[in-house]
Amino acid sequence: MASAVSFPPANVQMLQGRSCHGHAAFGSCSAVPRTGPRVRSTAVRVSSEQEAAAAVRAPSGRSIEECEADAVAGRFPAPPPLVRPKAPEGTPQIRPLDIEKRPRRNRKSPALRAAFQETTISPANLVLPLFIHEGEEDAPIGAMPGCFRLGWRHGLLDEVYKARDVGVNSFVLFPKIPDALKSQSGDEAYNDNGLVPRTIRLLKDKFPDIVVYTDVALDPYSSDGHDGIVREDGVIMNDETVYQLCKQAVSQARAGADVVSPSDMMDGRVGAIRAALDAEGFHDVSIMSYTAKYASSFYGPFREALDSNPRFGDKKTYQMNPANYREALLETAADEAEGADILLVKPGLPYLDIIRLLRDNSALPIAAYQVSGEYSMIKAAGALKMIDEEKVMMESLMCLRRAGADIILTYFARQAATVLCGMRSK
Ligand code: PBG
């Protein structure tokens, strides 16, 4: 067998063309599937590569078996001839550039490129946001093709089951609350029998080993559609809102949440939530703080999904100005000091510089949220055949990792994990 290796790997080109290698650059799947047959293990893939290699002929035109037989008989191949492959008609005759550095040398073959790849991504890095509602049916979300408001009893469990099958074990819940339960103070947010706590209990009962993240903010429960309580002059009240958020976080922790994620951008909420959790004995419940959440137009499709558009005004008095960079450092320092376990940047791709800024200024894990508008743009351009949806999806996620994100909240989580596992995504 070893003698086959002494030939230049002519099979490389052929392997490149094979479809299951389209995403080899993203690293192999580390999913540990519960149901064996659907997910192909890395080992299986290696052996099919060997089969493919066996079907390939050496540059000399002989089969691998013939080459092996030669080697066994003591006839070893001559060094490859020093012929220069022909350039096309019209190629200028030039003297080679006198340069020492040719970075392309490290990109010349798939094996070298794989060896020097700096960033990888695995299903373990992905968190899947799930929209839930009280209904029994799954309702498609118009502005987010492929996403549904899932019935909390059935559709949700099915989606979680499928995601786990491809190695996604982390989920974040976003509820659509009936208008009748909304109020100006958002009290439904801490109803222990509300949609979110009920759903957490169901999920943790059925899948005890998954990680359940929750959203801490009043907007799904606010009749004003704001993340906090709105005073009559339109001001979003900070400390009173934080009081409500603490009750919300404790209620979620009581239901079994692993990580509570304040996305509201009130000042001082991380420290207050930490104290409230600890006072109730929830020392092990983590806080993922939306540290740098920008007042972004990329949230449009999400607000449609949850029917959570602010009834008036915008969110600019609490979410950050998209023009600001340094300000993210103030938020980082505050969240770290107040006891956050994970720092989140949102949106994702248009804010790669902020992800890198946090990565370089904190030792905490960094999360990036590839938000609804980013998702929908890729889906729409893909549907119009303007881009290759799957490739752009994988590249966008890799870029978020490269910028410094440990985990990525993305509506593509299941689709991307499917690709990473070497399965077809559609
Ligand atoms: C609000 C919240 C929003 C998102 C997550 N939590 C929207 C907003 O701030 O209005 C947006 C997520 C997305 O667009 O995918 N607490």
Side-chain angles (χ1 to χ4, degrees), residues 34 50 66 72 81 115 119 132 134 140 145 172 186 195 200 207 255 259 265 269 282 295 338 340 346 354:
R34 285 163 300 114
Q50 284 165 351
E66 288 166 333
V72 169
T119 309
I132 50 175
E134 295 280 2
V172 55
L195 178 57
I200 299 171
F207 307 107
V259 185
M265 292 302 279
R269 91 278 206 211
F282 295 116
E338 292 175 34
K346 175 182 180 182
I354 310 298

Side-chain angles (χ1 to χ4, degrees), residues 174 215 217 219 227 263 293 298-299 302-303 315 319 346 369 371-372 411:
F174 292 104
D215 187 53
D219 54 323
D227 290 23
S263 68
K293 178 177 182 181
F298 285 94
Y299 308 148
F302 175 98
R303 292 181 189 172
K315 299 193 174 184
Q319 299 180 350
K346 175 182 180 182
Y369 198 146
V371 300
S372 54
Y411 305 97

Side-chain angles (χ1 to χ4, degrees), residues 34-35 38-39 128 138 148 150 154-169 171 207 413-415 417-418 423:
R34 285 163 300 114
T35 53
R38 288 185 52 209
V39 177
L128 176 61
D138 300 339
F148 296 81
L150 301 164
H154 304 294
L156 172 72
L157 295 179
D158 191 47
E159 181 66 20
V160 168
Y161 184 89
K162 289 187 195 145
R164 275 162 50 81
D165 226 24
V166 288
V168 175
N169 288 302
F171 304 90
F207 307 107
R414 183 153 77 82
Q415 193 182 342
T418 304
M423 287 161 49

Side-chain angles (χ1 to χ4, degrees), residues 26-240:
F26 292 102
S28 56
C29 174
S30 61
V32 186
R34 285 163 300 114
T35 53
R38 288 185 52 209
V39 177
R40 301 154 78 201
S41 74
T42 317
V44 172
R45 268 202 285 169
V46 168
S47 81
S48 67
E49 266 168 41
Q50 284 165 351
E51 277 163 33
V56 172
R57 299 198 155 256
S60 57
R62 292 164 311 156
S63 73
I64 299 288
E65 289 76 11
E66 288 166 333
C67 297
E68 275 181 12
D70 275 356
V72 169
R75 292 188 297 274
F76 288 96
L82 264 180
V83 288
R84 301 217 173 274
K86 238 175 88 212
E89 198 84 36
T91 303
Q93 297 278 323
I94 50 108
R95 207 157 353 134
L97 290 174
D98 187 15
I99 48 175
E100 275 167 26
K101 315 255 169 170
R102 288 185 183 263
R104 287 185 55 188
R105 282 194 281 262
N106 285 345
R107 303 179 202 137
K108 71 186 160 202
S109 74
L112 280 169
R113 290 195 292 275
F116 302 134
Q117 177 160 328
E118 299 174 37
T119 309
T120 58
I121 182 166
S122 115
N125 304 123
L126 305 176
V127 181
L128 176 61
L130 296 166
F131 298 109
I132 50 175
H133 69 156
E134 295 280 2
E136 299 294 326
E137 304 291 317
D138 300 339
I141 298 167
M144 300 176 71
C147 289
F148 296 81
R149 275 185 222 147
L150 301 164
W152 70 285
R153 259 186 254 266
H154 304 294
L156 172 72
L157 295 179
D158 191 47
E159 181 66 20
V160 168
Y161 184 89
K162 289 187 195 145
R164 275 162 50 81
D165 226 24
V166 288
V168 175
N169 288 302
S170 299
F171 304 90
V172 55
L173 300 175
F174 292 104
K176 159 102 170 71
I177 301 297
D179 281 346
L181 294 177
K182 297 186 184 181
S183 66
Q184 287 192 289
S185 48
D187 297 297
E188 176 64 13
Y190 55 87
N191 171 1
D192 282 342
N193 275 316
L195 178 57
V196 167
R198 241 184 297 132
T199 303
I200 299 171
R201 300 203 302 260
L202 187 68
L203 280 179
K204 291 300 269 192
D205 187 46
K206 184 130 203 245
F207 307 107
D209 57 342
I210 61 172
V211 183
V212 174
Y213 292 72
T214 58
D215 187 53
V216 179
L218 295 186
D219 54 323
Y221 309 92
S222 156
S223 44
D224 294 319
H226 275 286
D227 290 23
I229 302 174
V230 189
R231 215 165 56 187
E232 69 174 359
D233 59 357
V235 166
I236 312 296
M237 303 171 78
N238 192 87
D239 301 13
E240 293 77 359

